[in-house]
Amino acid sequence: MINAILINICLVLGLLIGVPFLFIYLLSAINRNTKQQIANHFGTPGQIGFGFLGVIIHEASHLLMALVFGHHIDQFRLIRIPTSDNPALGYVHHTWNQRNFYQNMGNLFIGVAPIFGCCLATLGLARYTIPEVYQSLIVTAQQSFNQLNFTVPEFSWVSMLVFLVIAANICIGGFDLSPADYENASQGLLQAVVSLVSLTIIISVTPLAAGFSALLSHFTMIVLVISLFNLLISSLMNFIFRII
């Protein structure tokens, strides 16, 4: 029983924290480099032109999660023109009760919220611009690891171009987590780990264990498929701005 619980804890922490954070790091690193390429070619304001939608979604994701976890919003701006004195493209200033477990744990989700917000935004965009590809992604996300198979369907190149232009704007402006985002997320990591470990122990000694494993596997597959989809878009945009 103890061995099974320990295995479940390792799986939960690896799949719910390890896998998402791997893609969070990769997406952030690639798009930070893309923004640097844009700044080198078009100046700092060029980051607004090529990524304003992503900036808005980025800050809105922070704002929404801060409200969900009961933080007090001091002030926010979803987008702003950067200056030499203040290069920030947007911001959300919030405070919380340091002795509140729930609010402290929320810092983790608030910090990384833009990655999930932008992933969902590009997925929603695909649903309405390239529905054939979107449906294929959904089918793939419902498969198991050993049956993973993605088939590229026929699609309209005009619709694909529209999708890529808008998705590029979302990726460039939205996926880049700042050092402050990482620092904020780290403040809630311990509480999140404690919560996941406690929940896993409770579920592991109940009849819900088998269903929980299936749900965990399904969630991980969804994260994997959506993250790889956005990683492909981000890598393509990074390549384009490198050769300009």
Side-chain angles (χ1 to χ4, degrees), residues 112-128:
V112 302
I115 300 297
F116 296 99
C118 289
C119 279
L120 291 176
T122 55
L123 190 65
L125 176 66
R127 179 180 181 182
Y128 292 103

Side-chain angles (χ1 to χ4, degrees), residues 20 23 29 38 42 49-50 61-62 65 80 90 96 102 125 140 162 165 178 184 187 195:
F23 284 105
I38 292 172
F42 306 100
F50 287 101
S61 299
H62 282 318
M65 282 295 100
R80 64 180 297 277
W96 64 97
Y102 178 73
L125 176 66
T140 302
V162 171
V165 169
S178 67
N184 192 55
Q187 296 182 62
S195 297

Side-chain angles (χ1 to χ4, degrees), residues 175-221:
F175 277 128
D176 179 18
L177 294 184
S178 67
D181 290 337
Y182 282 116
E183 181 180 354
N184 192 55
S186 68
Q187 296 182 62
L189 181 59
L190 177 60
Q191 288 82 357
V193 169
V194 170
S195 297
L196 286 174
V197 169
S198 300
L199 181 63
T200 302
I201 292 173
I202 294 171
I203 292 178
S204 296
V205 296
T206 69
L208 298 175
F212 180 68
S213 297
L215 181 63
L216 184 64
S217 176
H218 183 60
F219 173 80
T220 304
M221 180 58 70

Side-chain angles (χ1 to χ4, degrees), residues 30-195:
I30 290 173
N31 287 286
R32 184 183 304 113
N33 183 266
T34 303
K35 285 174 68 176
Q36 185 59 56
Q37 298 294 330
I38 292 172
N40 293 341
H41 286 90
F42 306 100
T44 302
Q47 298 178 39
I48 293 291
F50 287 101
F52 67 93
L53 283 176
V55 173
I56 293 172
I57 295 172
H58 182 113
E59 301 302 337
S61 299
H62 282 318
L63 178 62
L64 178 60
M65 282 295 100
L67 293 172
V68 167
F69 284 94
H71 287 214
H72 175 73
I73 308 300
D74 296 321
Q75 58 178 170
F76 70 92
R77 286 189 64 176
L78 297 184
I79 193 166
R80 64 180 297 277
I81 303 299
T83 63
S84 57
D85 296 330
N86 186 357
L89 303 178
Y91 57 83
V92 176
H93 295 159
H94 56 99
T95 56
W96 64 97
N97 184 350
Q98 301 280 350
R99 293 175 293 181
N100 187 303
F101 185 90
Y102 178 73
Q103 291 187 9
N104 272 294
M105 182 177 66
N107 283 309
L108 173 65
F109 299 95
I110 295 167
V112 302
I115 300 297
F116 296 99
C118 289
C119 279
L120 291 176
T122 55
L123 190 65
L125 176 66
R127 179 180 181 182
Y128 292 103
T129 55
I130 46 174
E132 302 87 358
V133 176
Y134 168 81
Q135 190 58 42
S136 186
L137 285 170
I138 296 301
V139 170
T140 302
Q142 294 174 342
Q143 297 173 356
S144 60
F145 287 106
N146 58 354
Q147 296 176 330
L148 187 60
N149 179 37
F150 176 72
T151 303
V152 179
E154 293 185 5
F155 55 83
S156 165
W157 282 102
V158 174
S159 297
M160 177 60 77
L161 181 60
V162 171
F163 168 78
L164 287 175
V165 169
I166 301 176
N169 199 290
I170 294 173
C171 291
I172 291 169
F175 277 128
D176 179 18
L177 294 184
S178 67
D181 290 337
Y182 282 116
E183 181 180 354
N184 192 55
S186 68
Q187 296 182 62
L189 181 59
L190 177 60
Q191 288 82 357
V193 169
V194 170
S195 297

